[in-house]
Amino acid sequence: MKTLFKTTVAASAIALSASVALAEEKVVVYHWFEYIPQELLTKFTSETGIEVVMDTYDSNEAMLASLKAGGIGTYDVSVPGDYMVKIMANEGLLGTIAEGELVNKRNIEAQWLDVDFDPGRKHSIPYQWGSTAFAVNRDVFQGDINTTDILFNPPAELSGKVNMLDSQGEVLAMASLHLGIPQCSTDRDQLRALDAMLQEAKTYWASFNSDTAKEVLVSGDAAAGMIYNGFSAKAREEGANVEYAYPKQGYIAWMDNVVLLKDAPNRDNALKFMDFLLDPENVAALTNWTQYSAGVEGVAPLLGEALRTLPEANPPAEAGPATFIEVCDAQTQAIYDKIWTNVKK
């Protein structure tokens, strides 16, 4: 949270010239909104001669739906969150990276090399990692914010002024933390309680939006909002008096990853793009811009001092546990899909 992802890099924002569109050497990237600096794309093209063609999405689920609806064979790489990598692999949507095809694979930090969602990194590389919780405007509310009540049972000052991410996985995972139940519960009473809690909670929410999660806090259209930690930091940089919360009930940890897609039309160029993003200098430029964290060795000395001490990137000792989104079995997922559909009505 993905992600994280995230200057906006929509397809229109990278406005490709006719010469780019007709270039023989290109890589077609399906990416989160506002999640990579143009300068890095320009550097990649300058070094390799490969043009980057990009479309964007605003949630893991939107990306999955688009790929399943015909995107496979169109795009070379995408940038799913940890749990979505596993789902995509299970559905046969990913290509396989053979040993030795990525020279810079050796730069991946050990903790991110043999991960549960992609053992041995056969389909993916780390992109950025961070957390998802929420930020609160301190001009509006001065009380304790390190509780998930802010989202699901907010104080009067925040009621009707909360923006939620339009992301099923993250919202339902946070809701499960709030209730203290498993993410993939099969207990009917727990599922009924989850559904009922969300139906009441949504009466306190002003909006569902991921791609403007930062903007609504900066503009004041929302006084609190579920948000990625890097977006919260950017909101502060842009003048919003917001504080990022690490709730005692826990918060969501995530890692976004660049995956090689099945039937990638420009497979060799895709691998060059992935290798480029495993170079410490390039990853450091990305991380300094996103204000998240990298999964590549040799990056730390290249990071700015502000990032090393960023409140949003350094959970306090009293913070609740960091929890990754779990992948449910198909039958259980169908129930959660129904709960989410009811929330969005």
Side-chain angles (χ1 to χ4, degrees):
M1 136 346 357
K2 64 156 65 359
T3 268
L4 110 227
F5 20 39
K6 296 174 178 177
T7 352
T8 297
V9 190
S12 58
I14 336 180
L16 300 172
S17 66
S19 61
V20 170
L22 296 173
E24 291 184 7
E25 294 295 327
K26 64 181 178 181
V27 58
V28 187
V29 179
Y30 201 20
H31 210 326
W32 290 89
F33 58 92
E34 198 171 341
Y35 203 15
I36 191 168
Q38 179 62 46
E39 292 80 5
L40 202 57
L41 300 178
T42 300
K43 181 183 180 185
F44 173 74
T45 299
S46 176
E47 291 182 358
T48 66
I50 299 168
E51 301 291 349
V52 180
V53 181
M54 186 179 296
D55 284 337
T56 64
Y57 51 85
D58 64 0
S59 75
N60 280 292
E61 288 73 22
M63 178 269 298
L64 178 65
S66 178
L67 291 178
K68 293 174 69 174
I72 290 297
T74 298
Y75 300 105
D76 297 306
V77 300
S78 67
V79 190
D82 42 90
Y83 72 98
M84 187 54 67
V85 175
K86 187 172 183 179
I87 291 173
M88 294 171 74
N90 289 343
E91 297 199 14
L93 301 178
L94 301 183
T96 299
I97 304 167
E99 196 62 39
E101 285 194 299
L102 291 177
V103 176
N104 289 329
K105 185 177 180 179
R106 61 178 181 267
N107 294 336
I108 299 175
E109 291 180 344
Q111 65 173 322
W112 300 117
L113 185 56
D114 194 27
V115 289
D116 289 343
F117 55 84
D118 186 15
R121 290 288 182 178
K122 296 179 180 178
H123 309 290
S124 70
I125 62 168
Y127 186 70
Q128 295 277 273
W129 66 272
S131 67
T132 304
F134 47 89
V136 177
N137 187 323
R138 283 312 208 172
D139 293 332
V140 178
F141 181 69
Q142 292 80 43
D144 178 24
I145 66 169
N146 291 310
T147 170
T148 50
D149 283 339
I150 295 294
L151 296 179
F152 302 112
N153 187 27
E157 296 96 323
L158 300 176
S159 182
K161 302 174 183 177
V162 178
N163 178 66
M164 297 296 288
L165 292 178
D166 190 1
S167 173
Q168 177 178 339
E170 286 163 309
V171 172
L172 295 187
M174 188 70 83
S176 296
L177 289 173
H178 178 69
L179 291 179
I181 64 175
Q183 287 189 50
C184 292
S185 177
T186 57
D187 183 286
R188 291 182 179 274
D189 290 338
Q190 291 181 346
L191 292 168
R192 289 193 194 97
L194 178 65
D195 184 57
M197 185 276 289
L198 287 167
Q199 288 301 313
E200 180 176 357
K202 74 178 184 179
T203 65
Y204 307 125
W205 301 340
S207 51
F208 269 106
N209 212 307
S210 297
D211 57 2
T212 61
K214 169 176 65 71
E215 284 74 11
V216 293
L217 289 173
V218 173
S219 68
D221 290 333
M226 197 173 181
I227 199 168
Y228 312 108
N229 62 316
F231 263 23
S232 178
K234 285 179 178 289
R236 283 195 302 106
E237 283 187 351
E238 294 177 23
N241 184 20
V242 296
E243 182 179 347
Y244 187 72
Y246 280 100
K248 60 187 178 184
Q249 296 90 344
Y251 59 96
I252 298 167
W254 52 261
M255 167 163 272
D256 287 331
N257 310 268
V258 183
V259 296
L260 178 66
L261 293 171
K262 179 182 178 182
D263 298 332
N266 306 284
R267 186 179 186 279
D268 289 347
N269 293 344
L271 292 172
K272 290 176 183 177
F273 185 68
M274 296 171 82
D275 234 7
F276 176 84
L277 292 174
L278 287 175
D279 181 277
E281 180 179 319
N282 298 329
V283 182
L286 172 65
T287 305
N288 279 319
W289 186 83
T290 65
Q291 300 189 45
Y292 293 117
S293 299
V296 172
E297 293 180 350
V299 170
L302 304 176
L303 299 179
E305 177 61 27
L307 183 56
R308 287 195 289 269
T309 60
L310 197 70
E312 291 84 354
N314 294 278
E318 63 272 18
T323 303
F324 280 91
I325 296 173
E326 296 180 13
V327 178
C328 307
D329 63 70
Q331 185 175 358
T332 303
Q333 186 60 49
I335 299 172
Y336 279 89
D337 290 345
K338 185 175 181 180
I339 292 173
W340 179 247
T341 299
N342 288 338
V343 170
K344 293 297 297 291
K345 285 181 179 178

